[in-house]
Each structure stands twice: as C-alpha cells, then as structure tokens.
Amino acid sequence: MRDKGILVVVSGFSGAGKGTLMKKLVQAYDNYALSVSMTTRAPREGEKDGREYFFVPREVFEEKIRQGGLVEYASYCGNYYGTPKEYVEAQLEAGKDVVLEIEIQGALKVKEKFPSALLLFVMPPSAKELKRRLVGRGTETQEVIRKRLERAVEEARGIENYDYIVINDDLETCARELHSMVRAAHHAPYREEAFIEHIRQELDVLVKGEK
C-alpha cells in the first residue's frame, strides 16, 4: 500500500526564487505534484485547462466556495483564484506530495484546514541578495521593488509559524535540502500511526506467545 502524500505549503519573499525552486523540485524528483489552481479568468493564449489552471465560470467557483470545496481562495483584479480541495486530496491519496506555493496569510489558513500540512519558507541568503535579485529581473520599477521589500519586512514577522526555513543560495543544493525535509516529515510519528499500531499489535502477539 502506498503511503499517503503530504501537503507541502511553500511561501517566501518575492525574489527568493520560489517558482524556480518548485520547478526544479518537480523535475528532479517524481513524487511531487504542483497544485493546480482554479480561476474565473479567461485562458490566455497557450494556456490549457487543467495544466496552468482549472478555468471555470464565476457561478461554478462561487458554488465551490459554498460547498467548502476549496483549500483557500482569494479575489484579485475582479477574478477568483483558489485551490480545489478535491484535486489536492486525490493527489495525496495517490501518494503524491502536493506542493502549494502561496503567500503567508493563505498558508496559515491552509494549516487550519490541513493540520498535517508541512509549511516551508524560502529565504535568500541575505537581504542584500534579495534586493539584487529583484533589481536583476529588470522588469520592475524602483517603486515596485521598494514595495516588495516593504512587504518582505511584514512577512518576516510570521516566519516562526513555519516548520522549516529553506535558504535558497544554490538552486541544486536548495532543491535537495527541501526534498530531504519532505522525506523526513513522512516519518513523523503522527504520520506513521498505522505502522506504529501494526508494530504494537505484533509485539503484543510476540509477548503473549512467550508466556
């Protein structure tokens, strides 16, 4: 019987390299599934339903909300975005470790619904390196970069709520360390309750047989 997967929630400062790290993780190891979000916005050119997003009408999304069928959701620029609970649970039952990349407030909400979720926070090796990466993108104004850094100051106050931090200095090393954290989490006693109970029963049988 395959072990049930773990819901892995990954957060981090903008510019910490979360997206690149998640892609590397999925490419390097076959036991991960990136969570696919549901949205009410229209598909862009080249996007495919079920790959980038699950594209649904607004009334379908709002019905999902009423049914409690979303792990988390938010409204952004007039459209809904959320994580379908059914998709996540199906992947977990199939033994996949489901990776959900989400900001810190959403991560804590996920933890409320999935207490066994593993929360990881991706950090740069230094604040100066974070700024260097943001500037190096070459796609944002100085004002936007300043706002992202201010946001990082706020997010830094909630890092203690996470299970582990991951320092993204070298991509290969970081992906390997993150994978090791997930594998180790599989062996936490509360995730191994069935196996522990099986051993207890076997021990009882052995001890009784010795009498």
Side-chain angles (χ1 to χ4, degrees):
M1 182 179 175
R2 260 191 111 170
D3 291 338
K4 187 175 180 180
I6 292 176
L7 179 59
V8 183
V9 181
V10 179
S11 305
F13 306 133
S14 176
K18 301 183 299 297
T20 304
L21 178 59
M22 295 305 96
K23 288 176 184 175
K24 181 66 180 176
L25 191 70
V26 172
Q27 289 170 358
Y29 306 98
D30 62 3
N31 59 297
Y32 294 99
L34 288 179
S35 177
V36 180
S37 296
M38 178 180 288
T39 183
T40 56
R41 78 159 172 79
R44 295 177 184 142
E45 187 176 347
E47 288 183 332
K48 183 178 179 183
D49 184 55
R51 186 179 65 191
E52 281 78 17
Y53 289 95
F54 294 112
F55 297 99
V56 299
R58 192 175 189 86
E59 57 269 23
V60 171
F61 197 106
E62 291 177 342
E63 181 60 28
K64 279 284 184 187
I65 295 173
R66 286 191 289 271
Q67 293 173 352
L70 297 167
V71 175
E72 54 78 35
Y73 72 92
S75 180
Y76 179 72
C77 293
N79 285 303
Y80 282 122
Y81 295 82
T83 304
K85 187 187 292 185
E86 186 178 355
Y87 173 82
V88 169
E89 291 179 338
Q91 294 295 320
L92 293 174
E93 288 295 334
K96 291 284 188 180
D97 293 321
V98 179
V99 181
L100 175 58
E101 185 185 327
I102 194 170
E103 45 76 40
I104 195 165
Q105 286 83 5
L108 299 180
K109 290 179 182 177
V110 171
K111 187 72 172 178
E112 290 176 8
K113 289 189 177 181
F114 289 82
S116 64
L118 178 67
L119 269 57
L120 305 176
F121 198 94
V122 180
M123 301 178 71
S126 70
K128 285 184 178 179
E129 174 61 15
L130 180 66
K131 183 176 181 180
R132 189 194 69 78
R133 291 179 187 179
L134 288 169
V135 173
R137 287 175 175 177
T139 57
E140 295 163 335
T141 64
Q142 286 298 317
E143 177 64 16
V144 170
I145 290 172
R146 185 182 64 80
K147 287 182 178 178
R148 293 196 184 282
L149 291 172
E150 288 175 352
R151 174 67 174 159
V153 171
E154 295 174 11
E155 291 176 330
R157 299 191 184 105
I159 296 173
E160 291 84 356
N161 293 302
Y162 284 71
D163 296 301
Y164 297 104
I165 62 170
V166 187
I167 310 299
N168 188 12
D169 191 0
D170 176 77
L171 183 61
E172 297 277 349
T173 302
C174 188
R176 191 161 56 247
E177 289 179 349
L178 196 155
H179 176 66
S180 295
M181 291 173 183
V182 176
R183 297 322 301 162
H186 270 272
H187 301 294
Y190 70 91
R191 292 193 180 99
E192 295 276 15
E193 288 178 348
F195 177 70
I196 292 169
E197 183 57 31
H198 175 69
I199 291 295
R200 284 173 176 158
Q201 291 174 4
E202 286 190 333
L203 286 169
D204 285 342
V205 171
L206 282 175
V207 170
K208 288 173 183 175
E210 292 292 327
K211 291 179 180 179

